[in-house]
Amino acid sequence: MNARQAAERWRETWERGWRAHEPTQIVALYAEDAYFQSHPFRDAQTPRGYIQPTLAGEESAECDFGEPIVDGNRAAVEWSAETKLKDGGTEKLAGVSLLRFDDAGLVIEQRDFWASA
């Protein structure tokens, strides 16, 4: 799978999985030893360690993902979301995910940069 196909699959799977709060499909996008940093000022963690509890804390999410910008085995994908949290709070987020893929199309590195309103 080439990087453009992998980036499109990543975008579509994240958008569908986040809206449905189904982490299994999203987690399957990542290599077993993938580097995952959800924000520049947070420690890296496993994709599963971030994705499952984050989605579990949300009641609903409306999200949009932009067209991936691809160069070699890397991609950048802009995204935005409005989430309603189970504790009654809300979040409005906008960010970009910087991705690197292996030859099988799995994410081996993800660094997210985002802000909240």
Side-chain angles (χ1 to χ4, degrees), residues 9-32:
R9 182 180 68 167
W10 183 91
R11 179 182 68 88
E12 292 168 2
T13 302
W14 255 99
E15 188 166 346
R16 184 177 56 251
W18 196 355
R19 288 176 188 237
H21 288 85
E22 294 179 2
T24 304
Q25 294 176 4
I26 298 172
V27 170
L29 294 169
Y30 296 85
E32 189 169 320

PDB file of all heavy atoms in Angstrom, residues 9-32:
ATOM      1  N   ARG A   9      -6.950   5.907   3.920  1.00  0.00           N
ATOM      2  CA  ARG A   9      -7.544   4.921   4.822  1.00  0.00           C
ATOM      3  C   ARG A   9      -7.542   5.441   6.255  1.00  0.00           C
ATOM      4  O   ARG A   9      -8.529   5.313   6.977  1.00  0.00           O
ATOM      5  CB  ARG A   9      -6.801   3.596   4.729  1.00  0.00           C
ATOM      6  CG  ARG A   9      -7.419   2.509   5.617  1.00  0.00           C
ATOM      7  CD  ARG A   9      -6.667   1.231   5.512  1.00  0.00           C
ATOM      8  NE  ARG A   9      -5.346   1.407   6.122  1.00  0.00           N
ATOM      9  CZ  ARG A   9      -4.524   0.428   6.419  1.00  0.00           C
ATOM     10  NH1 ARG A   9      -4.840  -0.806   6.141  1.00  0.00           N
ATOM     11  NH2 ARG A   9      -3.363   0.675   6.970  1.00  0.00           N
ATOM     12  N   TRP A  10      -6.447   6.046   6.685  1.00  0.00           N
ATOM     13  CA  TRP A  10      -6.351   6.624   8.029  1.00  0.00           C
ATOM     14  C   TRP A  10      -7.443   7.678   8.232  1.00  0.00           C
ATOM     15  O   TRP A  10      -8.157   7.657   9.219  1.00  0.00           O
ATOM     16  CB  TRP A  10      -4.957   7.238   8.231  1.00  0.00           C
ATOM     17  CG  TRP A  10      -4.745   7.801   9.600  1.00  0.00           C
ATOM     18  CD1 TRP A  10      -4.230   7.148  10.674  1.00  0.00           C
ATOM     19  CD2 TRP A  10      -5.045   9.119  10.034  1.00  0.00           C
ATOM     20  NE1 TRP A  10      -4.193   7.992  11.764  1.00  0.00           N
ATOM     21  CE2 TRP A  10      -4.690   9.221  11.386  1.00  0.00           C
ATOM     22  CE3 TRP A  10      -5.583  10.247   9.401  1.00  0.00           C
ATOM     23  CZ2 TRP A  10      -4.853  10.382  12.137  1.00  0.00           C
ATOM     24  CZ3 TRP A  10      -5.754  11.414  10.141  1.00  0.00           C
ATOM     25  CH2 TRP A  10      -5.388  11.470  11.483  1.00  0.00           C
ATOM     26  N   ARG A  11      -7.556   8.605   7.277  1.00  0.00           N
ATOM     27  CA  ARG A  11      -8.551   9.686   7.362  1.00  0.00           C
ATOM     28  C   ARG A  11      -9.970   9.135   7.446  1.00  0.00           C
ATOM     29  O   ARG A  11     -10.751   9.512   8.316  1.00  0.00           O
ATOM     30  CB  ARG A  11      -8.415  10.608   6.149  1.00  0.00           C
ATOM     31  CG  ARG A  11      -9.423  11.750   6.131  1.00  0.00           C
ATOM     32  CD  ARG A  11      -9.245  12.585   4.870  1.00  0.00           C
ATOM     33  NE  ARG A  11      -9.619  11.874   3.670  1.00  0.00           N
ATOM     34  CZ  ARG A  11     -10.848  11.852   3.176  1.00  0.00           C
ATOM     35  NH1 ARG A  11     -11.832  12.500   3.765  1.00  0.00           N
ATOM     36  NH2 ARG A  11     -11.109  11.192   2.070  1.00  0.00           N
ATOM     37  N   GLU A  12     -10.314   8.244   6.561  1.00  0.00           N
ATOM     38  CA  GLU A  12     -11.670   7.687   6.516  1.00  0.00           C
ATOM     39  C   GLU A  12     -11.977   6.863   7.765  1.00  0.00           C
ATOM     40  O   GLU A  12     -13.078   6.947   8.317  1.00  0.00           O
ATOM     41  CB  GLU A  12     -11.837   6.829   5.260  1.00  0.00           C
ATOM     42  CG  GLU A  12     -11.811   7.632   3.979  1.00  0.00           C
ATOM     43  CD  GLU A  12     -11.676   6.770   2.733  1.00  0.00           C
ATOM     44  OE1 GLU A  12     -11.642   5.523   2.837  1.00  0.00           O
ATOM     45  OE2 GLU A  12     -11.582   7.361   1.638  1.00  0.00           O
ATOM     46  N   THR A  13     -11.011   6.088   8.226  1.00  0.00           N
ATOM     47  CA  THR A  13     -11.233   5.240   9.396  1.00  0.00           C
ATOM     48  C   THR A  13     -11.365   6.083  10.658  1.00  0.00           C
ATOM     49  O   THR A  13     -12.241   5.824  11.488  1.00  0.00           O
ATOM     50  CB  THR A  13     -10.091   4.214   9.552  1.00  0.00           C
ATOM     51  OG1 THR A  13     -10.028   3.426   8.358  1.00  0.00           O
ATOM     52  CG2 THR A  13     -10.319   3.309  10.747  1.00  0.00           C
ATOM     53  N   TRP A  14     -10.516   7.083  10.816  1.00  0.00           N
ATOM     54  CA  TRP A  14     -10.621   7.959  11.982  1.00  0.00           C
ATOM     55  C   TRP A  14     -11.963   8.695  11.989  1.00  0.00           C
ATOM     56  O   TRP A  14     -12.626   8.778  13.029  1.00  0.00           O
ATOM     57  CB  TRP A  14      -9.462   8.965  12.003  1.00  0.00           C
ATOM     58  CG  TRP A  14      -8.421   8.624  13.014  1.00  0.00           C
ATOM     59  CD1 TRP A  14      -7.230   7.990  12.791  1.00  0.00           C
ATOM     60  CD2 TRP A  14      -8.475   8.882  14.414  1.00  0.00           C
ATOM     61  NE1 TRP A  14      -6.547   7.849  13.967  1.00  0.00           N
ATOM     62  CE2 TRP A  14      -7.281   8.391  14.988  1.00  0.00           C
ATOM     63  CE3 TRP A  14      -9.420   9.486  15.244  1.00  0.00           C
ATOM     64  CZ2 TRP A  14      -7.008   8.487  16.344  1.00  0.00           C
ATOM     65  CZ3 TRP A  14      -9.144   9.587  16.600  1.00  0.00           C
ATOM     66  CH2 TRP A  14      -7.956   9.085  17.136  1.00  0.00           C
ATOM     67  N   GLU A  15     -12.370   9.230  10.843  1.00  0.00           N
ATOM     68  CA  GLU A  15     -13.629   9.977  10.794  1.00  0.00           C
ATOM     69  C   GLU A  15     -14.808   9.067  11.156  1.00  0.00           C
ATOM     70  O   GLU A  15     -15.640   9.419  11.996  1.00  0.00           O
ATOM     71  CB  GLU A  15     -13.831  10.607   9.416  1.00  0.00           C
ATOM     72  CG  GLU A  15     -15.014  11.549   9.372  1.00  0.00           C
ATOM     73  CD  GLU A  15     -15.025  12.420   8.134  1.00  0.00           C
ATOM     74  OE1 GLU A  15     -14.009  12.510   7.405  1.00  0.00           O
ATOM     75  OE2 GLU A  15     -16.077  13.043   7.898  1.00  0.00           O
ATOM     76  N   ARG A  16     -14.863   7.908  10.573  1.00  0.00           N
ATOM     77  CA  ARG A  16     -15.950   6.960  10.836  1.00  0.00           C
ATOM     78  C   ARG A  16     -15.884   6.440  12.279  1.00  0.00           C
ATOM     79  O   ARG A  16     -16.885   6.415  12.997  1.00  0.00           O
ATOM     80  CB  ARG A  16     -15.861   5.811   9.827  1.00  0.00           C
ATOM     81  CG  ARG A  16     -16.975   4.790   9.904  1.00  0.00           C
ATOM     82  CD  ARG A  16     -16.843   3.719   8.818  1.00  0.00           C
ATOM     83  NE  ARG A  16     -15.554   3.031   8.850  1.00  0.00           N
ATOM     84  CZ  ARG A  16     -14.581   3.174   7.942  1.00  0.00           C
ATOM     85  NH1 ARG A  16     -14.737   3.977   6.916  1.00  0.00           N
ATOM     86  NH2 ARG A  16     -13.442   2.512   8.051  1.00  0.00           N
ATOM     87  N   GLY A  17     -14.704   6.040  12.728  1.00  0.00           N
ATOM     88  CA  GLY A  17     -14.548   5.465  14.059  1.00  0.00           C
ATOM     89  C   GLY A  17     -14.769   6.458  15.180  1.00  0.00           C
ATOM     90  O   GLY A  17     -15.337   6.115  16.216  1.00  0.00           O
ATOM     91  N   TRP A  18     -14.322   7.697  14.977  1.00  0.00           N
ATOM     92  CA  TRP A  18     -14.511   8.717  16.012  1.00  0.00           C
ATOM     93  C   TRP A  18     -15.989   9.044  16.167  1.00  0.00           C
ATOM     94  O   TRP A  18     -16.508   9.098  17.270  1.00  0.00           O
ATOM     95  CB  TRP A  18     -13.708   9.963  15.645  1.00  0.00           C
ATOM     96  CG  TRP A  18     -13.498  10.950  16.761  1.00  0.00           C
ATOM     97  CD1 TRP A  18     -14.016  10.915  18.026  1.00  0.00           C
ATOM     98  CD2 TRP A  18     -12.691  12.119  16.704  1.00  0.00           C
ATOM     99  NE1 TRP A  18     -13.576  11.992  18.748  1.00  0.00           N
ATOM    100  CE2 TRP A  18     -12.758  12.752  17.962  1.00  0.00           C
ATOM    101  CE3 TRP A  18     -11.910  12.701  15.713  1.00  0.00           C
ATOM    102  CZ2 TRP A  18     -12.080  13.941  18.247  1.00  0.00           C
ATOM    103  CZ3 TRP A  18     -11.235  13.880  16.002  1.00  0.00           C
ATOM    104  CH2 TRP A  18     -11.326  14.484  17.253  1.00  0.00           C
ATOM    105  N   ARG A  19     -16.681   9.224  15.065  1.00  0.00           N
ATOM    106  CA  ARG A  19     -18.125   9.524  15.131  1.00  0.00           C
ATOM    107  C   ARG A  19     -18.905   8.391  15.791  1.00  0.00           C
ATOM    108  O   ARG A  19     -19.848   8.619  16.528  1.00  0.00           O
ATOM    109  CB  ARG A  19     -18.677   9.771  13.735  1.00  0.00           C
ATOM    110  CG  ARG A  19     -18.241  11.072  13.137  1.00  0.00           C
ATOM    111  CD  ARG A  19     -18.736  11.212  11.707  1.00  0.00           C
ATOM    112  NE  ARG A  19     -18.156  12.378  11.094  1.00  0.00           N
ATOM    113  CZ  ARG A  19     -18.860  13.369  10.576  1.00  0.00           C
ATOM    114  NH1 ARG A  19     -20.170  13.322  10.590  1.00  0.00           N
ATOM    115  NH2 ARG A  19     -18.243  14.396  10.036  1.00  0.00           N
ATOM    116  N   ALA A  20     -18.507   7.148  15.511  1.00  0.00           N
ATOM    117  CA  ALA A  20     -19.217   5.975  16.043  1.00  0.00           C
ATOM    118  C   ALA A  20     -18.665   5.533  17.396  1.00  0.00           C
ATOM    119  O   ALA A  20     -19.233   4.643  18.026  1.00  0.00           O
ATOM    120  CB  ALA A  20     -19.116   4.822  15.047  1.00  0.00           C
ATOM    121  N   HIS A  21     -17.576   6.147  17.834  1.00  0.00           N
ATOM    122  CA  HIS A  21     -16.907   5.760  19.080  1.00  0.00           C
ATOM    123  C   HIS A  21     -16.563   4.276  19.079  1.00  0.00           C
ATOM    124  O   HIS A  21     -16.828   3.551  20.020  1.00  0.00           O
ATOM    125  CB  HIS A  21     -17.738   6.169  20.307  1.00  0.00           C
ATOM    126  CG  HIS A  21     -17.700   7.645  20.508  1.00  0.00           C
ATOM    127  ND1 HIS A  21     -18.557   8.492  19.848  1.00  0.00           N
ATOM    128  CD2 HIS A  21     -16.877   8.415  21.247  1.00  0.00           C
ATOM    129  CE1 HIS A  21     -18.275   9.732  20.190  1.00  0.00           C
ATOM    130  NE2 HIS A  21     -17.256   9.720  21.027  1.00  0.00           N
ATOM    131  N   GLU A  22     -15.942   3.851  17.975  1.00  0.00           N
ATOM    132  CA  GLU A  22     -15.499   2.475  17.804  1.00  0.00           C
ATOM    133  C   GLU A  22     -13.979   2.474  17.670  1.00  0.00           C
ATOM    134  O   GLU A  22     -13.442   2.623  16.568  1.00  0.00           O
ATOM    135  CB  GLU A  22     -16.156   1.856  16.571  1.00  0.00           C
ATOM    136  CG  GLU A  22     -17.664   1.714  16.721  1.00  0.00           C
ATOM    137  CD  GLU A  22     -18.327   1.128  15.497  1.00  0.00           C
ATOM    138  OE1 GLU A  22     -17.629   0.780  14.518  1.00  0.00           O
ATOM    139  OE2 GLU A  22     -19.560   1.025  15.513  1.00  0.00           O
ATOM    140  N   PRO A  23     -13.255   2.288  18.762  1.00  0.00           N
ATOM    141  CA  PRO A  23     -11.801   2.389  18.722  1.00  0.00           C
ATOM    142  C   PRO A  23     -11.096   1.233  18.018  1.00  0.00           C
ATOM    143  O   PRO A  23      -9.970   1.407  17.543  1.00  0.00           O
ATOM    144  CB  PRO A  23     -11.407   2.432  20.195  1.00  0.00           C
ATOM    145  CG  PRO A  23     -12.514   1.734  20.907  1.00  0.00           C
ATOM    146  CD  PRO A  23     -13.754   2.056  20.119  1.00  0.00           C
ATOM    147  N   THR A  24     -11.715   0.079  17.905  1.00  0.00           N
ATOM    148  CA  THR A  24     -11.040  -1.095  17.364  1.00  0.00           C
ATOM    149  C   THR A  24     -10.524  -0.856  15.950  1.00  0.00           C
ATOM    150  O   THR A  24      -9.374  -1.200  15.639  1.00  0.00           O
ATOM    151  CB  THR A  24     -11.975  -2.317  17.393  1.00  0.00           C
ATOM    152  OG1 THR A  24     -12.430  -2.502  18.732  1.00  0.00           O
ATOM    153  CG2 THR A  24     -11.264  -3.566  16.917  1.00  0.00           C
ATOM    154  N   GLN A  25     -11.350  -0.284  15.087  1.00  0.00           N
ATOM    155  CA  GLN A  25     -10.931  -0.017  13.704  1.00  0.00           C
ATOM    156  C   GLN A  25      -9.804   1.002  13.650  1.00  0.00           C
ATOM    157  O   GLN A  25      -8.889   0.887  12.840  1.00  0.00           O
ATOM    158  CB  GLN A  25     -12.112   0.498  12.877  1.00  0.00           C
ATOM    159  CG  GLN A  25     -13.206  -0.504  12.669  1.00  0.00           C
ATOM    160  CD  GLN A  25     -14.386   0.128  11.929  1.00  0.00           C
ATOM    161  OE1 GLN A  25     -14.341   1.279  11.521  1.00  0.00           O
ATOM    162  NE2 GLN A  25     -15.441  -0.642  11.770  1.00  0.00           N
ATOM    163  N   ILE A  26      -9.858   1.993  14.523  1.00  0.00           N
ATOM    164  CA  ILE A  26      -8.819   3.024  14.537  1.00  0.00           C
ATOM    165  C   ILE A  26      -7.503   2.424  15.016  1.00  0.00           C
ATOM    166  O   ILE A  26      -6.457   2.621  14.398  1.00  0.00           O
ATOM    167  CB  ILE A  26      -9.241   4.212  15.421  1.00  0.00           C
ATOM    168  CG1 ILE A  26     -10.506   4.880  14.865  1.00  0.00           C
ATOM    169  CG2 ILE A  26      -8.099   5.228  15.508  1.00  0.00           C
ATOM    170  CD1 ILE A  26     -11.108   5.934  15.776  1.00  0.00           C
ATOM    171  N   VAL A  27      -7.533   1.693  16.107  1.00  0.00           N
ATOM    172  CA  VAL A  27      -6.321   1.086  16.667  1.00  0.00           C
ATOM    173  C   VAL A  27      -5.661   0.161  15.640  1.00  0.00           C
ATOM    174  O   VAL A  27      -4.429   0.075  15.574  1.00  0.00           O
ATOM    175  CB  VAL A  27      -6.636   0.355  17.983  1.00  0.00           C
ATOM    176  CG1 VAL A  27      -5.460  -0.475  18.459  1.00  0.00           C
ATOM    177  CG2 VAL A  27      -7.056   1.362  19.056  1.00  0.00           C
ATOM    178  N   ALA A  28      -6.455  -0.494  14.808  1.00  0.00           N
ATOM    179  CA  ALA A  28      -5.916  -1.418  13.800  1.00  0.00           C
ATOM    180  C   ALA A  28      -5.086  -0.711  12.727  1.00  0.00           C
ATOM    181  O   ALA A  28      -4.360  -1.370  11.975  1.00  0.00           O
ATOM    182  CB  ALA A  28      -7.056  -2.204  13.152  1.00  0.00           C
ATOM    183  N   LEU A  29      -5.133   0.612  12.651  1.00  0.00           N
ATOM    184  CA  LEU A  29      -4.352   1.374  11.686  1.00  0.00           C
ATOM    185  C   LEU A  29      -2.879   1.464  12.055  1.00  0.00           C
ATOM    186  O   LEU A  29      -2.055   1.869  11.241  1.00  0.00           O
ATOM    187  CB  LEU A  29      -4.893   2.807  11.583  1.00  0.00           C
ATOM    188  CG  LEU A  29      -6.296   2.987  11.018  1.00  0.00           C
ATOM    189  CD1 LEU A  29      -6.757   4.417  11.244  1.00  0.00           C
ATOM    190  CD2 LEU A  29      -6.331   2.628   9.546  1.00  0.00           C
ATOM    191  N   TYR A  30      -2.526   1.089  13.286  1.00  0.00           N
ATOM    192  CA  TYR A  30      -1.195   1.338  13.831  1.00  0.00           C
ATOM    193  C   TYR A  30      -0.365   0.063  13.942  1.00  0.00           C
ATOM    194  O   TYR A  30      -0.876  -0.987  14.338  1.00  0.00           O
ATOM    195  CB  TYR A  30      -1.315   1.991  15.214  1.00  0.00           C
ATOM    196  CG  TYR A  30      -1.963   3.343  15.130  1.00  0.00           C
ATOM    197  CD1 TYR A  30      -3.357   3.471  15.128  1.00  0.00           C
ATOM    198  CD2 TYR A  30      -1.201   4.493  14.986  1.00  0.00           C
ATOM    199  CE1 TYR A  30      -3.965   4.707  15.012  1.00  0.00           C
ATOM    200  CE2 TYR A  30      -1.799   5.729  14.866  1.00  0.00           C
ATOM    201  CZ  TYR A  30      -3.184   5.841  14.878  1.00  0.00           C
ATOM    202  OH  TYR A  30      -3.785   7.067  14.744  1.00  0.00           O
ATOM    203  N   ALA A  31       0.923   0.201  13.633  1.00  0.00           N
ATOM    204  CA  ALA A  31       1.865  -0.891  13.869  1.00  0.00           C
ATOM    205  C   ALA A  31       1.966  -1.118  15.370  1.00  0.00           C
ATOM    206  O   ALA A  31       1.712  -0.211  16.170  1.00  0.00           O
ATOM    207  CB  ALA A  31       3.235  -0.536  13.289  1.00  0.00           C
ATOM    208  N   GLU A  32       2.343  -2.332  15.756  1.00  0.00           N
ATOM    209  CA  GLU A  32       2.375  -2.704  17.165  1.00  0.00           C
ATOM    210  C   GLU A  32       3.279  -1.793  17.994  1.00  0.00           C
ATOM    211  O   GLU A  32       2.944  -1.453  19.128  1.00  0.00           O
ATOM    212  CB  GLU A  32       2.824  -4.157  17.309  1.00  0.00           C
ATOM    213  CG  GLU A  32       2.666  -4.670  18.720  1.00  0.00           C
ATOM    214  CD  GLU A  32       2.857  -6.165  18.788  1.00  0.00           C
ATOM    215  OE1 GLU A  32       2.389  -6.867  17.882  1.00  0.00           O
ATOM    216  OE2 GLU A  32       3.476  -6.602  19.768  1.00  0.00           O
TER     217      GLU A  32
END
